[in-house]
Amino acid sequence: MRVLTLDRPEKRNALNTALTQALLDALRAADTDEAIGCVVLTGAGQGFCAGADLAEFKDLTPDKQPLVEARAELTMQLHLALPKLTKPVVTAINGAAMGGGAGLAIAVDLAVMAEEAPLGSPETRHGIVAAIVMANLVRQAGRKAAFELVSLGEPVDAARALALGLVNRVVPRAQLMEEALALARKLAAASRPAMRLTKQLFHEAADLPLAQALERGREANKRMRSFRKS
């Protein structure tokens, strides 16, 4: 497996262009490395990720439209890449995950959260919108809960995040990496072809009408006969 660490602790691991691009590149590199069966993503220092780097965003003014478009495109590509990776990704949410950081924390396949960590989307309080992360949030938390999170901007604790289905496990911070790595080892031990097809079909089925999802399942059922263990 591979552990990726957001490493801007002095900025609470806020996502500027450089860090976002580096993360996207690292995820894609891990996905093509046959020695890696799973990726674990966490943050350096006390927080997971504070979201977008607001200091950088101050420079993305309307008169710099190409930069504005490039930054939005990069964020979208990061979130689009996560479900399309062939290998599972687990987040170890070691501290505050806010704004785009909350979106990143829950956009993966499995999430483990420290019981002391908050998670929230405070964008409206800063006069902005939780735009790109909203698409994934509403699919995971449901409409009412998702709208509450993005409209009120109030953080939720780990217990509430677990109740909403945003994370899979809540553990004391001291046990966080142990739990995340244990999950990652289990995922990595699974048949690679089976895991790849499971993840692909899961994300396809989640966004398709029932009849089409069943058709995809039928095709996957036929394909898996070629790699099923005896």
Side-chain angles (χ1 to χ4, degrees):
M1 75 186 73
R2 176 163 295 171
V3 177
L4 300 178
T5 303
L6 302 171
D7 194 15
R8 296 184 75 206
E10 74 285 358
K11 295 289 187 179
R12 298 179 296 155
N13 302 317
L15 292 163
N16 61 4
T17 297
L19 181 57
T20 305
Q21 185 65 63
L23 175 57
L24 180 57
D25 291 344
L27 288 168
R28 287 172 171 167
D31 204 44
T32 60
D33 190 333
E34 290 302 318
I36 296 170
C38 185
V39 175
V40 176
L41 176 63
T42 193
Q46 297 301 305
F48 177 75
C49 178
D53 190 335
L54 296 181
E56 181 183 71
F57 267 52
K58 290 178 181 178
D59 295 327
L60 297 177
T61 53
D63 60 307
K64 299 177 180 177
Q65 195 61 27
L67 292 177
V68 172
E69 292 181 2
R71 185 66 178 87
E73 178 69 18
L74 178 60
T75 301
M76 187 192 74
Q77 290 301 324
L78 173 61
H79 283 265
L80 193 59
L82 288 164
K84 290 184 177 296
L85 296 175
T86 63
K87 295 167 185 175
V89 181
V90 178
T91 43
I93 308 169
N94 57 304
M98 307 303 292
L104 178 61
I106 67 171
V108 298
D109 302 297
L110 295 176
V112 184
M113 189 172 183
E115 60 187 10
E116 306 88 345
L119 182 152
S121 298
E123 282 88 345
T124 55
R125 296 185 175 190
H126 298 285
I128 54 179
V129 179
I132 292 176
V133 302
M134 196 184 302
N136 190 47
L137 179 63
V138 74
R139 283 166 167 76
Q140 300 209 24
R143 292 192 176 194
K144 291 292 189 295
F147 189 76
E148 180 180 340
L149 289 170
V150 298
S151 62
L152 296 182
E154 296 173 349
V156 297
D157 60 19
R160 177 68 170 153
L162 181 64
L164 290 174
L166 296 175
V167 299
N168 301 88
R169 306 276 194 282
V170 171
V171 297
R173 182 185 171 100
Q175 300 173 21
L176 179 71
M177 287 306 296
E178 178 184 351
E179 182 72 16
L181 291 172
L183 277 175
R185 281 191 288 270
K186 290 179 181 179
L187 292 167
S191 159
R192 295 287 178 84
M195 181 60 70
R196 180 170 59 249
L197 188 54
T198 293
K199 181 170 177 176
Q200 177 187 350
L201 183 60
F202 176 85
H203 287 287
E204 288 179 353
D207 294 324
L208 287 173
L210 177 60
Q212 293 181 37
L214 288 172
E215 288 173 2
R216 296 292 179 89
R218 178 193 62 199
E219 296 308 308
N221 185 275
K222 291 188 292 186
R223 291 203 305 274
M224 74 179 181
R225 304 299 174 183
S226 65
F227 57 75
R228 188 180 60 177
K229 293 181 180 179
S230 59

